[in-house]
Amino acid sequence: MIQIFWYIYAAFLATSTIGFFIHGGYRSAIFLIDLAFTVIAWVGLFGFVTHYQIFTPFVWQVIFAAVILWDLLFFFFIKSHVTAEEPEAGTLSMTIISGVLMLVFLSPLYYALFQYAF
């Protein structure tokens, strides 16, 4: 039963990324770097769900740390410099709310990568 949750979650992540791609979200080089980190994290999610060892645990420990660091840096610092948003969308409260939502949506991915790495 829990396997179904992971497959649904992976499909949700893939669908949201494809939607972002279709609407032109990956036009900038920095967003393509983010896509590369996302795909690498998905490989770890796939390995965790299927119980298939893709790389050594040490590699996944490094990837786990890099993905979390990249997501935090990208969301809170880099993304705001490369996107032209409305002034009211850049307020601190919206950034905090968006950050909390990001952590809620990505926490299962981080959990899976952690379990896969350690």
Side-chain angles (χ1 to χ4, degrees):
M1 182 67 181
I2 198 75
Q3 292 293 104
I4 294 171
F5 163 76
W6 288 110
Y7 287 119
I8 291 171
Y9 179 69
F12 169 74
L13 288 177
T15 304
S16 62
T17 301
I18 290 169
F20 190 67
F21 183 75
I22 289 172
H23 292 290
Y26 293 109
R27 291 187 182 158
S28 172
I30 199 76
F31 283 98
L32 290 174
I33 294 170
D34 182 56
L35 179 63
F37 275 97
T38 301
V39 168
I40 292 169
W42 286 354
V43 170
L45 179 63
F46 174 77
F48 173 75
V49 170
T50 60
H51 304 287
Y52 184 75
Q53 189 66 36
I54 296 173
F55 296 120
T56 64
F58 177 74
V59 171
W60 287 110
Q61 292 169 4
V62 171
I63 290 173
F64 172 71
V67 164
I68 289 181
L69 181 65
W70 171 259
D71 282 348
L72 291 174
L73 286 174
F74 177 75
F75 187 80
F76 289 110
F77 301 109
I78 299 171
K79 185 178 168 186
S80 64
H81 294 301
V82 296
T83 59
E85 296 179 348
E86 301 169 4
E88 62 271 2
T91 63
L92 181 61
S93 64
M94 286 302 291
T95 302
I96 291 172
I97 292 170
S98 299
V100 168
L101 286 175
M102 179 198 77
L103 289 175
V104 166
F105 288 131
L106 293 180
S107 61
L109 176 65
Y110 299 149
Y111 171 81
L113 286 176
F114 180 81
Q115 291 296 319
Y116 194 54
F118 296 97

